[in-house]
Amino acid sequence: RTRSTTVSATGSSQLEKEAWTLEFAGLSLRALLLLSDSRQNDVELRELANASIALCQKKKQLPANPHVDSAAVEYGTFYLVLLVCWSGWLRPAFEFLSSKEALSLVAEARATVLGKKSLWNRSCPTMELLLLDLSQADASVWGQARPLYQSSLQVISSIQEEKGLHATAASLMEAHCLRSLAAGAVRAVDRNRADVEKALEMTRQSIERLEALKQEENGLLYPWTSSSQFSEAVQYQMARSRQLLGDGLIYLERFSEAHKLLLQTVADFPGDATVAFSLGMFLLRLDFFHKKLPGGKPKG
């Protein structure tokens, strides 16, 4: 059994306080190790996600307990775990959590980081506040996510003007927000051609920012610390943006452009199964509806 299952409902004795402290400290250490590990081990990520949700649920079942709150804040547990479980720079956001679980984790991170500033014992940098908003947006339904992406773009723009945010981090955040806003528009049930055209422009802006980062040797991917993870994040975001651009072109029935783009994206990112699947679905659609590309070009 985990330590959190051995404490009582009150969590108030000295032994129980020590058990809670060890629980939060241990989970924070696991999160820090994963943030520094470029391998992104799926088993370890899934285990941390399961442990974090179990701890959230156990904490909610307790009566108000200052010691439990202070221990969580002292080690930054829920915030560090949130970043690992989100990992939205490098892979699908919250891959091992449901939307409900992810939002619960975001709420715990906000409460401990922002609601207990005296315990946190330092101000929360804008970068960390933005990551809270982006992770919440990625876990939310479109109507709730859109204003978070939009406000994040405004914050990034204003801070860049004051030189208060690392340029590479700002560009990566902008690219993520632009693509996410575009994805919501392209995949909306009530979308129309004008919406998709605007979304494609945002996607191109996302790609432009990522192209500018491809040669960056000193990119900042806070708080991930592996030197290779910045370039991996740029590649992952680029693949997603180009795939989205292809989806938009397909909706606009610009099939030749979509075919060329998706073929090139598969060639550029041969290990990306999502892009390969997108191309395969497109070719199946052509087989079913059109039989051949405009101009009689072969599909393969």
Side-chain angles (χ1 to χ4, degrees):
R1 293 188 299 172
T2 65
R3 291 188 185 90
S4 64
T5 61
T6 65
V7 298
S8 73
T10 61
S12 58
S13 74
Q14 184 60 35
L15 183 61
E16 289 165 341
K17 289 178 180 179
E18 292 175 359
W20 277 107
T21 298
L22 287 172
E23 185 75 23
F24 284 116
L27 205 58
S28 294
L29 179 59
R30 289 171 64 184
L32 285 169
L33 289 172
L34 286 169
L35 287 171
S36 64
D37 188 352
S38 61
R39 295 174 301 165
Q40 288 284 298
N41 185 285
D42 284 0
V43 174
E44 293 177 353
L45 290 172
R46 187 185 295 277
E47 288 177 350
L48 183 71
N50 291 339
S52 67
I53 293 305
L55 190 59
C56 281
Q57 293 172 345
K58 183 69 177 180
K59 182 174 176 289
K60 287 179 179 178
Q61 293 170 2
L62 288 174
N65 189 306
H67 175 77
V68 173
D69 289 340
S70 64
V73 175
E74 181 180 358
Y75 296 103
T77 303
F78 288 117
Y79 184 77
L80 292 172
V81 168
L82 169 67
L83 295 181
V84 176
C85 291
W86 171 62
S87 293
W89 296 145
L90 299 154
R91 60 196 300 145
F94 297 113
E95 194 169 12
F96 301 114
L97 293 178
S98 68
S99 177
K100 182 179 179 180
E101 290 170 337
L103 289 172
S104 176
L105 188 54
V106 173
E108 287 288 354
R110 282 193 186 277
T112 53
V113 171
L114 301 179
K116 309 288 182 181
K117 290 184 179 180
S118 60
L119 295 172
W120 187 241
N121 204 27
R122 69 175 178 84
S123 59
C124 190
T126 303
M127 179 78 169
E128 295 179 357
L129 295 174
L130 284 167
L131 288 172
L132 277 173
D133 284 346
L134 289 184
S135 59
Q136 180 176 339
D138 284 349
S140 300
V141 296
W142 172 235
Q144 297 169 353
R146 178 167 52 186
L148 287 169
Y149 293 128
Q150 291 171 333
S151 64
S152 294
L153 282 174
Q154 293 173 355
V155 171
I156 293 166
S157 177
S158 63
I159 293 177
Q160 277 185 286
E161 293 174 1
E162 300 171 3
K163 303 187 183 302
L165 186 64
H166 195 285
T168 55
S171 294
L172 194 59
M173 282 186 165
E174 281 188 308
H176 184 83
C177 289
L178 287 166
R179 176 179 59 80
S180 299
L181 284 168
V186 168
R187 293 161 186 163
V189 175
D190 58 347
R191 67 188 183 278
N192 55 46
R193 291 187 67 87
D195 293 334
V196 175
E197 290 283 6
K198 292 178 182 177
L200 290 188
E201 180 56 34
M202 283 191 288
T203 307
R204 293 187 184 97
Q205 292 174 14
S206 174
I207 292 173
E208 287 173 4
R209 283 157 176 76
L210 294 168
E211 287 286 355
L213 294 175
K214 286 173 66 175
Q215 305 303 319
E216 180 63 51
E217 296 181 355
N218 299 308
L220 177 67
L221 191 67
Y222 170 86
W224 289 262
T225 57
S226 170
S227 59
S228 65
Q229 286 177 309
F230 180 81
S231 60
E232 292 171 5
V234 172
Q235 291 180 14
Y236 174 78
Q237 296 289 328
M238 178 68 78
R240 298 284 77 74
S241 290
R242 285 169 61 175
Q243 177 196 353
L244 178 63
L245 186 59
D247 290 344
L249 291 171
I250 291 169
Y251 176 82
L252 296 173
E253 299 184 355
R254 292 158 60 176
F255 298 122
S256 293
E257 293 177 66
H259 183 240
K260 181 179 179 181
L261 174 66
L262 290 173
L263 276 177
Q264 187 60 52
T265 303
V266 169
D268 291 343
F269 305 98
D272 195 310
T274 304
V275 174
F277 181 79
S278 183
L279 174 62
M281 290 298 294
F282 169 59
L283 295 178
L284 285 174
R285 187 183 306 182
L286 285 180
D287 273 337
F288 188 78
F289 290 108
H290 299 280
K291 302 300 183 184
K292 61 182 180 181
L293 290 166
K297 297 178 182 178
K299 299 185 290 297

